[in-house]
Structure formats: structure tokens, C-alpha cells
């Protein structure tokens, strides 16, 4: 019985944690779709958008190359 309760708590906890961070899709002007983990950060001073891709790599792209950013 305790194992079932612990499993249930683990499943509910992981569902709650996964709901905290939203993924985004960035469409570029050349037609690419970039999936991000978390919200991309737009640096108005440099004109770059920094995001973390699905593999966990942090990448930057020029904001002029992006046509839209949509919450997934």
C-alpha cells in the first residue's frame, strides 16, 4: 500500500513540475521552426534572442531573423 502511495505522489509531483515551465515555438523568416525549453530571452540592447533548445543547449539568434514566438 505504501508503494502505491509513493508512486502516486511521484507521478503527481512530476506532473506539477512539468506544468511550471512552458515550451515555445519560434518561427524564423526562412521557414524553420525552433522548439525551446522555457521562454526565450530577448536582449533589446544586442538584438539577440537567447533560448535553450530541446537538447539543453543554449543558443542565440538575431531577433530580426524571427517572425514569431508562440507558447506551445
Amino acid at each position: 500500500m505504501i508503494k502505491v502511495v509513493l508512486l502516486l505522489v511521484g507521478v503527481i509531483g512530476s506532473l506539477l513540475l512539468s506544468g511550471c515551465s512552458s515550451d515555445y515555438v519560434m518561427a524564423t523568416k526562412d521557414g524553420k521552426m525552433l522548439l525551446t525549453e522555457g521562454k526565450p530571452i530577448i536582449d533589446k540592447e544586442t538584438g539577440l534572442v537567447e533560448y535553450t533548445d530541446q537538447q539543453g543547449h543554449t543558443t542565440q539568434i538575431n531577433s530580426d531573423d524571427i517572425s514569431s514566438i508562440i507558447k506551445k
Side-chain angles (χ1 to χ4, degrees), residues 1-12:
M1 183 69 181
I2 292 178
K3 289 182 182 181
V4 173
V5 171
L6 288 176
L7 178 65
L8 186 59
V9 168
V11 169
I12 291 172

Side-chain angles (χ1 to χ4, degrees), residues 31-64:
K32 294 180 186 173
M33 301 299 264
L34 305 171
L35 300 174
T36 71
E37 288 186 1
K39 187 174 183 177
I41 301 168
I42 302 169
D43 186 350
K44 294 186 188 288
E45 192 173 300
T46 63
L48 296 174
V49 177
E50 183 175 312
Y51 66 96
T52 303
D53 63 17
Q54 295 292 312
Q55 290 77 32
H57 300 105
T58 302
T59 309
Q60 292 181 329
I61 187 171
N62 192 328
S63 61
D64 292 337

